[in-house]
Amino acid sequence: MNRILVKKELAPKIKLIEFENRDIASKAKPGQFVVIQMGEKGERFPLTISGIDPGKGMVRVIFNEVGKSSKRLGALAEGEEIGNVAGPLGNPAEIEKFGTVLCFGGGVMTGPMAYEAAAFKKAGNRVITVIGARNKELLILKDEMNALSDKLYVSTDDGSEGYKGLDFLRDILEGEKVDRVIGMSVATATLRTLCELTRPYGVKTIVSLTPIMLDGTGMCGVCRVVVGGQTKFACVDGPEFDGHLVDWDLLESRKRVYSHEERVSTLLDEQVGKDCASRFQQTRK
Ligand SMILES: Cc1cc2nc3c(=O)[nH]c(=O)nc-3n(C[C@H](O)[C@H](O)[C@H](O)COP(=O)(O)OP(=O)(O)OC[C@H]3O[C@@H](n4cnc5c(N)ncnc54)[C@H](O)[C@@H]3O)c2cc1C
Ligand code: FES
């Protein structure tokens, strides 16, 4: 169970892992996520599903190695088992024939966006995809996205490849009728910018939110967001919401709450790892 079948590095600190879990692979739909726990006492952390193969019982995740848990996951090798994986969690994306759908995948979330964009294509939509990253080294899945899209645009924050920033989206929205925009990024500020860009054009913009989560099942309340003036729990009511109704100030401030503790935890984990390694070296002298 949860044995790693394939592991690849897609870009610096961005890993793809395909693992075996027949139950999740038989039920998962685009937009849903899994919660992974590394070891019995490990923190539980969510990753959006980037693809499945029900025949092989395969589930794909793509993740950034940012802190303790994601680095531990990234250190596992093919053939090893991921301790505990719960899912699929959250609601599936609303996949229908809308007409023209613009799919934006920022950074690592290009992975789950590729899975969702393929479903929009299969449902008969014209699919425009936009993949973005901080710089060209961090762009992932360009060929895969190109293959499933009617049109692909590339954008980087520093302009090292494609358009610089997201302002060019205005030209797309002015140039053709877009019926729906979907945005995925772990950078809340990027999704907020996307929503502010689409708002004047009145195009419904659905975004996948990534607030801090604990249980992922609606019990703890940590993932609370406010959408259209109503309190929602992203793990059970989302994670996809109408971006024009999200209270972005609240979401951004809640995401910063644990940043100090996360930094300390990562540093401690790195230090303990170094201490163990140096003690191991000493025993070999
Ligand atoms: C529903 C959902 C789906 C997600 N899907 C993916 C995914 O497919 N791929 C992926 O790489 N990440 C995804 N994330 C973010 C991922 O869960 C966090 O990066 C992870 O929890 C980090 O855990 P850690 O212990 O490695 O790092 P921590 O020590 O917990 O954090 C290290 C640093 O990572 C950043 N970080 C932590 N949590 C988040 C978050 N929720 N959003 C943005 N930045 C964060 C912060 O800068 C923090 O300082 C998702 C989050 C949610 C809520
Ligand atoms: S993560 Fe606990 S309620 Fe959503």
Side-chain angles (χ1 to χ4, degrees), residues 33 43-50 61-71 108-109 112 186-188 208-213 239 255 258-259 261-263 265-266:
F33 62 93
E43 206 180 280
R44 293 158 58 87
F45 70 107
L47 294 179
T48 313
I49 296 167
S50 284
V61 287
I62 297 182
F63 59 98
N64 261 323
E65 293 176 304
V66 287
K68 187 165 133 183
S69 306
S70 50
K71 284 180 184 171
V108 74
M109 296 301 270
V186 286
T188 303
S208 183
L209 300 185
T210 57
I212 305 294
M213 287 189 182
K255 277 189 86 163
Y258 297 107
S259 51
E261 286 79 358
E262 286 163 352
R263 184 80 196 118
S265 165
T266 304

Side-chain angles (χ1 to χ4, degrees), residues 4-11 13-19 50 58-64 74 78 108 111 140-141 144:
I4 297 180
L5 306 170
V6 174
K7 179 186 165 189
K8 282 186 208 162
E9 179 152 315
L10 300 181
K13 297 199 171 167
I14 299 184
K15 301 250 164 81
L16 170 151
I17 280 185
E18 293 179 354
F19 62 92
S50 284
M58 179 280 283
V59 181
R60 180 182 303 129
V61 287
I62 297 182
F63 59 98
N64 261 323
E78 284 179 6
V108 74
I140 59 167
L141 305 180
E144 289 84 342

Side-chain angles (χ1 to χ4, degrees), residues 33 35 44 46 86 88-90 213-221 223 234-236:
F33 62 93
V35 167
R44 293 158 58 87
L89 300 171
M213 287 189 182
L214 280 184
D215 62 311
T217 58
M219 304 295 283
C220 68
C223 67
C235 64
V236 287

